[in-house]
Amino acid sequence: MDDGIKNGKRDMTPERLFTAVRLSPELRGAASDMCRRLSRELPFAKWTHEEDYHITLQFLGDTDPRSIPELVSALKKSAADFGPFTLSLRGTGVFGPPSAPRVLWAGLDGETDRLRELHSRIVSATEPLGFRAEERAYKPHVTLARKYRGERGFDSQYLDALTREESVLQAPWRVDEWVLFATRMHNKPMYEIVEKIKI
């Protein structure tokens, strides 16, 4: 039975979509192990599930399911001749108030210029379909945790602890595909692959 059909009618509930590069399976496992250790001393409310580690390319937002095939076609064309590239993780930081950050993240190294070019291609490909680029500058990163909940203000020593662990994440990985994700709020993992797109 088609999962998109309920009570004889096709479910037209909008899908919250975004495009992303996933970390390699090995790196996802290493990041998960590292964050499990760090969660004992870093009081964040939510740590990213192992399968959800990613670098966002473009947030697309709520999307009519009927438009997804056209969207997928445009996305595939945008990077048909792009070719693989290499990334690695490097550096850490936070977004939000320094004493109570909203996000703990890992930065990127490697062919980040190729990543930015892929981002630009995707934005250009989706614009004719009614999608808009975010107004803020593109800052690629991997979210490790959200919502600092410590009794004391966030201290730079926490980032020092993360830096000590960081060597386990520095192995480069070859990016030869990217994905269209749908968000499944409150699920674990929270992101479901709608389409894999080879480059």
Side-chain angles (χ1 to χ4, degrees):
M1 182 176 180
D2 186 345
D3 291 337
I5 296 178
K6 296 179 181 178
N7 300 322
K9 295 182 179 179
R10 183 167 292 278
D11 183 9
M12 288 296 116
T13 303
E15 294 273 23
R16 178 158 290 188
L17 303 178
F18 66 98
T19 57
V21 168
R22 301 183 80 199
L23 274 61
S24 69
E26 296 78 14
L27 195 50
R28 293 199 297 270
S32 180
D33 290 344
M34 182 194 75
C35 287
R36 196 175 300 113
R37 293 191 297 272
L38 289 172
S39 66
R40 302 183 190 118
E41 56 182 307
L42 297 180
F44 280 82
K46 182 179 180 182
W47 290 82
T48 301
H49 188 281
E50 180 174 334
E51 293 302 311
D52 286 341
Y53 290 119
H54 69 273
I55 305 155
T56 298
L57 288 163
Q58 184 187 11
F59 177 71
L60 300 167
D62 290 344
T63 304
D64 186 330
R66 292 169 294 187
S67 68
I68 291 177
E70 183 182 19
L71 171 62
V72 168
S73 177
L75 291 174
K76 287 181 176 179
K77 289 177 183 176
S78 72
D81 61 347
F82 194 77
F85 58 100
T86 302
L87 293 174
S88 60
L89 299 183
R90 184 178 182 85
T92 57
V94 295
F95 293 143
S99 62
R102 297 187 307 273
V103 172
L104 175 68
W105 52 262
L108 297 168
D109 203 353
E111 295 180 275
T112 55
D113 55 334
R114 301 285 315 284
L115 178 69
R116 291 178 183 279
E117 182 185 347
L118 181 57
H119 159 76
S120 179
R121 284 194 184 200
I122 291 170
V123 170
S124 296
T126 59
E127 186 174 12
L129 303 181
F131 298 98
R132 295 289 177 264
E134 293 188 73
E135 292 184 3
R136 58 187 176 184
Y138 181 54
K139 294 182 179 179
H141 63 278
V142 177
T143 295
L144 301 177
R146 296 180 184 276
K147 297 181 181 178
Y148 177 75
R149 290 290 184 264
E151 294 181 3
R152 297 179 302 168
F154 186 84
D155 193 289
S156 60
Q157 69 175 345
Y158 293 140
L159 289 182
D160 292 341
L162 188 55
T163 299
R164 289 196 299 273
E165 293 271 6
E166 191 187 332
S167 61
V168 303
L169 300 183
Q170 290 181 348
W173 81 99
R174 185 174 185 264
V175 178
D176 58 9
E177 70 175 19
W178 48 287
V179 301
L180 177 64
F181 266 140
T183 300
R184 307 293 184 223
M185 293 300 294
H186 311 301
N187 286 5
K188 291 184 179 181
M190 190 166 66
Y191 305 127
E192 179 181 337
I193 296 174
V194 176
E195 190 78 26
K196 292 183 179 180
I197 301 167
K198 293 289 185 180
I199 53 176

